Amino acid sequence: MTTIAQPAGNSGQRFFSLDVFRGATVAFMILVNNQPGASYSPLHHAPWHGCTPTDLVFPFFLFAVGNAIAFVLPKLEAMNRSAAVWKIVKRGILIFLIGLLLNWFPFVKWENGELVGKSFETLRIFGVLQRIALAYLFGALIIYFFKARLSFLIAALLLLGYWVLTVMAGDPADPYSLEGFWGTGLDRVILGENHMYKGEGVAFDPEGIASTIPSVAQVILGFLVGDYIRQKGKNSDMVANLFVAGVVLWLAGMAWGLSFPINKKIWTSSYVLYTVGLATLILATLIQLIEFRGWKGVVPNFFDAFGKNPLFIYVLSGVIPKSMWLIRIPNGVTDAGEPKFTNPMGWFYEYICKPISNRLENAALLYSLSLIFLLWLIAWYMNKRRWYVRV
């Protein structure tokens, strides 16, 4: 992934809409990742099969990563091949390491009243940034070496091959279940259960090794959309064709989902087509509104600030709450008379957000929106000073 301040096509045109799309995706990622306690159902992931609005956020981000590659590819092609490849590989490695360190951060925790080091023995290896890193790395290399047409064929082979593998290597009784999915066993063998996500109650990683395969195709398809926009420039035919492509991909994902269920947690091929289709439709709508109808109000400008520094702001959205965990604020006593503690974020939720509404969903929403506004202030200031963090 790369942070691009002003993507431009061959004609030197800037697509403000791409920054807005990327920024809105980052903002919603922060929203869904910071929901304390009860939250509204659209902000929940689907229990297994299916797709909620929350399940659209991550694939949209990978789609935006592909869009970004389309605008930096000419620069890569102008470089020496070894330098270009190293640039791609270095970015992938750095983003992966940032994700790994973010999982480990803040490196210490409170235990029995004192700070102790967080052990590597239970560190989760994969995660959101690691998935972005690997999808970017392999997607960008495929795009660089094979160009648009062959990259499309490779993306199709990845999606079809992943389907075949899931059916053939999974549990014949139910290859699309958590325990029946072939990637679950693969991750347990290679990563080890101690280094895997356990949010499902067992060792299962929704950003694991196997499901990275279709996520690479997600980036390639995002690139193809971005490359088409860059090549065609700002004209009505381009937008019309994006709408058609979006509908076709969305319907293809729905149809494929009848046999290969739409599922984020194992990142099914139908899920890729479904989400790429919706992302294309939303992006086409933004292009129509922003580039052709001149929509430049508060909303697009708000998201544009996030879109200029997406990686930095996303990392900061994890660093700030985790840093707050180290600050202990007395918060009463337990039934046994032992002191209880909270942290500044927990205090804000408990004593500011919850009293405002008797609905916990509203309190959780206020909490997450407050964090988004804080991060927006940082993003806005960085954009004003033209500070753009690039990896």
Side-chain angles (χ1 to χ4, degrees), residues 299-348:
V299 174
N301 284 319
F302 179 88
F303 291 128
D304 174 60
F306 285 117
K308 295 294 178 58
N309 280 293
L311 177 63
F312 179 79
I313 294 299
Y314 179 77
V315 171
L316 202 59
S317 74
V319 167
I320 291 176
K322 288 186 175 187
S323 297
M324 295 298 101
W325 295 349
L326 298 180
I327 303 172
R328 298 205 304 177
I329 300 173
N331 192 38
V333 295
T334 66
D335 293 337
E338 298 291 331
K340 292 195 302 182
F341 298 92
T342 185
N343 60 69
M345 302 293 283
W347 184 92
F348 176 75

Side-chain angles (χ1 to χ4, degrees), residues 154-172:
I154 291 171
L157 289 173
L158 288 173
L159 294 178
L160 289 169
Y162 182 65
W163 185 26
V164 172
L165 273 172
T166 302
V167 173
M168 300 297 292
D171 184 348

Side-chain angles (χ1 to χ4, degrees), residues 237-295:
D237 286 344
M238 179 270 288
V239 177
N241 289 336
L242 285 183
F243 275 113
V244 172
V247 170
V248 169
L249 288 167
W250 174 63
L251 291 176
M254 293 282 285
W256 201 349
L258 297 175
S259 55
F260 193 12
I262 293 172
N263 186 308
K264 175 193 178 293
K265 292 178 180 178
I266 59 174
W267 213 280
T268 56
S269 302
S270 58
Y271 173 69
V272 172
L273 295 187
Y274 178 80
T275 53
V276 168
L278 288 177
T280 303
L281 288 171
I282 292 172
L283 182 56
T285 302
L286 288 174
I287 292 173
Q288 178 67 27
L289 291 174
I290 293 171
E291 313 298 346
F292 290 96
R293 300 195 178 185
W295 184 39

Side-chain angles (χ1 to χ4, degrees), residues 132-148:
I132 292 170
L134 294 175
Y136 162 78
L137 173 62
F138 292 110
L141 288 175
I142 289 168
I143 290 161
Y144 178 76
F145 283 107
F146 298 101
K147 313 309 176 192

Side-chain angles (χ1 to χ4, degrees), residues 112 131 145 165 173 186 189 198 213 248 276 281 311 355 373:
N112 298 323
R131 164 64 54 88
F145 283 107
L165 273 172
L186 180 69
V189 170
K198 298 180 178 65
I213 296 170
V248 169
V276 168
L281 288 171
L311 177 63
F373 182 69

Side-chain angles (χ1 to χ4, degrees), residues 35-40 349-350 353-355 357-367:
Q35 290 291 308
S39 58
Y40 286 105
Y349 172 69
E350 188 70 28
C353 298
K354 287 175 72 172
S357 172
N358 57 6
R359 289 199 63 177
L360 292 179
E361 293 88 348
N362 291 337
L365 187 60
L366 176 60
Y367 171 91

